[in-house]
Structures are given as C-alpha cells and as structure tokens.
Amino acid sequence: MTEYSILVVDDEPDNFEVIEALLPSDKYALHYASRGEDAIACLNIFKPDAILLDVMMPDVDGIEVCKRIKAMTLRQAIPIIMITALSGKEDLARCLEAGADDFICKPVSGIELRARVNSMLRLKQQYDRIRSLSKLQNNSIALLKNSLNEIRGSLDFTFPGELNVSLHSILGNIQQLGSKLEDLNNEEVKSLLSNAQGSAQRLDRSTRKLLMYLNLAIETPQPRIADRCLAQTIIEEIAQRRARQAGRPLDLILDVENAELQVSDDRLRWLVDELLDNAFKFSPEDTTVEVRGQLIDNAFHLWVIDQGSGLSDNNMDRSGDLSGLLSDKPDQPIPQDEYSRIKAESNGGVGLGLKIVKKIVESYDGLFLVSSIYQHQTTVHITLPLASTVSRR
Amino acid sequence: MENIQQDLSLATTDTVVGGEVTGRETNSPTDAVGNAESPVVLLVEDNESNIQTIASYLRAKGYQMLLAQNGYEAIQLNQEHRPNIILMDIQMPGMDGFEAIQHIRQSSHSKVPILALTALAMAGDRTRCLAAGANDYLSKPVKLKELTMTIQEWLSHNEGSTDRDLN
C-alpha cells in the first residue's frame, strides 16, 4: 500500500497519540513537530503529503504557521488541515483566510479524520500529477526546440546548395537544348540529356537524403532489441559496390572483422553507403580508401580512411560549371576538419551524408569522429554497439 | 528548532560539552518517573525524519534528548553523559546497533536499559537484539505512545538500580 507522509503539528504530544491511534500505520507515515517553527524548518525532511495543524499553540500559533507555509512557493501545494477546539464561524473563517485547505473540530473522530485526510491526499496527488505532466511537457518543448533549430540550421546551410546545384544543372541543360536544338547534332543532344538526367538523379538522391535526415532529426529512432545485422557482409558488399561505381575497385582496402551488431540492417547500409560515397568522392584516383572494422572493448569500431584533403579544392571539378554560384557562407561552429568536409560535400551536392551518419551513430550512443591530416588524409571513425555477445571472427 | 539543531550538532561533533545535554526544559514532565530532574534519553538513529519526530515528541513529553547518528557516537555519548535509557536503531551505516549494544554492555555505564528499534521485516533480528544485550525491542514504524509507555516501564524498573547515581 502507498505510504503517505503526514505531519502532525501540536504542542500537546497527547493529541498526537490520538491521531496516531486513528490513522493506520501501514497507510500513513506519521511525523511530529511540537512547535510551529520546528514544523516549518523540517518540511524538507518530512516531505509531507498533508499537514494536520493545531490552531492553539504557544509562540507561533497554527494560523501563523499556515500562513507561512502557504507563502512558500515550493510548499504551498501541501494541503493543510487545521485542527481546532473552536468551532465559531469566525474562527473557521480565520483558518480559511490563512490558506488552510480544510479543518476538523475537536474532539477528533476517526471516520471524519480519515475521510478528510484522504480527500486532501487526493488533491495533492492531482496536483503532483499535473505538475509532473507540465514538467514533461516543458521537456518535450525544449527537445522539439532543439531539433527544430538543428533542422533549421541544416536547411539554411546545406539544402539550398544541394537543390541549386542539381536544379541549375537540369535547367541549364534544358535551356541549351531549347535554344540551340537546331544547331546540335544527335551526340550533343544525347550528352545534354544525359547530363540533365544525371542531375535529376542527384536531385532525387538528395531529396531522399533530406527525408532520411529529417526523419532522423525529428524523431530520433529508438534502438530496438530486434535490430541485428552482420557487420562484415554488409560493409564488404557496399564498399565493393561503391568502389566499382567510382571505377576504383583496386583502391579499396578491406579489413573488417565480423560481428553481430545491435543495429538495424537498413541503417547500417545507409551509414556505410554514405561513408564510402564520401570517401571515394573526395579522394583522388589511385589513392587508397581503407575500411577497417574491429571489435574493441565490447564495441564495433569502424574506420574509413581516404587520402583526400578534406577540403573543397578537388571536388570543385565535380560540382561542374555551377560551383561558382555557391558562396562561402559562414555557418555555425563545427570543428574545422568536420566543417570542411561537410562544406565540401555541400558543394558536391551531398551535404547531408555525414550528418545522416552522425545521426544514426548517435541514435545508438556511438562515437562519431572526423579527423584530417591537412590536404593529405581524412579519417571517419565511428563506434556501434554489439549484439549481446561477440560472434565469430 | 534551535534545540534540535543544538542536539544534532552535539551528535555530530567529537567534542561534546556536558552542559548542552539539558536541552529544553518543559514545565511539567508528563512521565511517571519520580526523578526530580527529567530523565535523559539517548536516541541512536540515522534517519533524519525519525530523529525529528521521536526527539520532538519525547522532548514535549518532558525528557531530555541526546542524539547519536551511529554506533560510535552512541558509545561515546553513553560514556560521557550516562543517559537513563537508550533507544537504539539497529540498521545503521558504519557500526550497526548490535555491535554498539555489545560495546555499551562492556563499558562503564553498562547497565543502562536499551530498547532496540527494528524493522518489522527483520523478525530474526529481535532475538539477535536480545542476545546482543538489548532489554526490549520495538518494531518500526514505532508508535510513539507505545514508545513512551515502554520507556516509562523500563525507567521505573531501573529506578534506584541504575549506575548513573553511582558516579
């Protein structure tokens, strides 16, 4: 049974004994103070759910104690029942004016005492419930505000660039087709169309990334126990495909231990795909892209190391004719190394890639670290949780 | 409140001055003990809320209170102030009640009545309390009326036979 904390304040200990005999100890934990000042000073210790307060006391009387407690912001919600020998209307009015929630006239009867105490406890519970609810709401609002600010930042900084690059490319190609159609030969038309199609595909991919990012940012996914996948198979498969697509199968170095991860198959694929897309995109041909996976200290560590600069110089080519349209915007503080890569990405049209990786890793309480040796090497290091036990190597 | 704080500081400092024991004198002790000066109760308890409740109640009943929050303080205060009776909580951090009772029984003020306060769930502890040297036990949550009655009983038992008067 729930135990309610009841503070009895009465200068006569015998009166406490009466109340003690009337309230069963399995339901109520009784505390006692013989003086008003003591009662006020000990509220922190007793943490009462209700107070039974004698009116007639020497020094500080019950009315005064009641007034003082009701003036305390943190304590005013504690229901106070005044116990009084006086039953004149004026006396009762004085109690209510002092802020008392209820009163009981002496001699105290058990039935009345329990009924009034319980009704006050009900009030207190309702109050507590409302307060915890409003606390919860405030927390949710703060959380939403943070997510919103983050999304706003990403949208301001990253997304317009992504859209612009692809859209301008599509528009540019179509305009050329429209204005010079008569002068162009078949090959040139095909080339312009294929450029436009490539850009449309990039736009499509950017849009899907944005959706993925928004999903992750708005509703942080809760990891589920059922989320399991085999690291080695997925990482090798995706890394090899990315290397082939980049036309650099020989540049890939794979050294991944196998482990069963507490990560959903789908998210690991997104994550690895973004990391390798990034690595191949921003490193020169005929330089290595190394993918290393190791079990250390009960976590899976994944490193993707490329020989790219981490700066935007070498990806300007990829962003085509339109790279000049993008100004170097100042942005919110991101560590220098991470900043350059994310910015570089943005110019290339895949600015959300690393942010998605980061979000996914964070949703599993993992580490996300980007480090660069200036114009020489970039390493992304992440950790992911293992499924209960370590599986075969 | 000053009295409570005084008692608490008494219990937590190592240097205890005898004069502080007096606490608040109430005009008319309601207890049945025939002593001219009001009896001194040593309460050994670590739970702040129990300390406040029991101490203010017994003080209002006319007793003088001595407070200790663990076994070591209890042994020391018993030596120095020779209380008329000890209320001993059994579950305390550091030296627990059993050990403290055994030490007190071997001290120079060894015959003081000791009432052990035990949690209801600890049925086996009661026999251990008595074996350790407690005179009686009360289960928690302690009814304060029952507590005073038991205290009065043991004080009248021990009247004249306590070695408090010998020193």
Side-chain angles (χ1 to χ4, degrees), chain A residues 3 10-14 16-17 20-26 30-35 37-38 41-42 45-46, chain B residues 1-4 8 24 30 47-50 52-54 56-61 141-146 148:
Chain A
E3 213 181 60
D10 199 316
D11 58 313
E12 288 291 333
D14 295 358
F16 174 83
E17 288 166 19
E20 184 179 56
L22 296 176
L23 295 179
S25 62
D26 57 343
L30 295 182
H31 306 287
Y32 176 68
S34 63
R35 306 188 319 149
E37 297 99 311
D38 294 355
C42 293
I45 295 168
F46 295 136
Chain B
M1 189 56 207
E2 306 90 68
N3 293 306
I4 292 177
L8 279 177
R24 183 163 61 112
T30 48
N47 178 299
E48 196 75 14
S49 146
N50 288 344
Q52 298 295 353
T53 291
I54 295 175
S56 35
Y57 175 77
L58 290 178
R59 230 178 253 126
K61 280 280 185 185
V142 180
K143 290 247 181 201
L144 293 186
K145 185 166 189 186
E146 195 186 340
T148 13

Side-chain angles (χ1 to χ4, degrees), chain B residues 74-75 78-79 83-88 97-116 129-136 154 158 162-163:
Chain B
I75 294 166
N78 181 59
Q79 287 289 82
N84 297 84
I85 191 163
I86 298 177
L87 306 179
M88 177 78 72
F98 297 122
E99 213 181 314
I101 293 173
Q102 283 167 346
H103 278 281
I104 289 170
R105 287 305 179 217
Q106 286 156 16
S107 71
S108 68
H109 186 54
S110 64
K111 294 202 175 103
V112 56
I114 301 177
L115 308 183
C129 291
L130 298 184
N135 297 77
D136 208 341
W154 279 100
N158 252 39
T162 169
D163 55 359

Side-chain angles (χ1 to χ4, degrees), chain B residues 6-108:
Chain B
Q6 196 174 54
D7 285 347
L8 279 177
S9 66
L10 182 80
T12 42
T13 46
D14 291 326
T15 50
V16 180
V17 185
E20 285 181 319
V21 182
T22 337
R24 183 163 61 112
E25 298 285 352
T26 40
N27 320 339
S28 55
T30 48
D31 56 279
V33 182
N35 287 353
E37 73 181 71
S38 42
V40 176
V41 178
L42 169 57
L43 172 62
V44 192
E45 164 72 79
D46 63 316
N47 178 299
E48 196 75 14
S49 146
N50 288 344
I51 295 171
Q52 298 295 353
T53 291
I54 295 175
S56 35
Y57 175 77
L58 290 178
R59 230 178 253 126
K61 280 280 185 185
Y63 296 94
Q64 298 178 69
M65 296 304 294
L66 265 176
L67 303 174
Q69 283 184 308
N70 58 53
Y72 299 105
E73 286 174 3
I75 294 166
Q76 197 190 348
L77 289 179
N78 181 59
Q79 287 289 82
E80 289 175 16
H81 299 288
R82 305 182 160 268
N84 297 84
I85 191 163
I86 298 177
L87 306 179
M88 177 78 72
D89 179 31
I90 291 302
Q91 286 179 297
M92 286 182 299
M95 185 194 287
D96 69 8
F98 297 122
E99 213 181 314
I101 293 173
Q102 283 167 346
H103 278 281
I104 289 170
R105 287 305 179 217
Q106 286 156 16
S107 71
S108 68

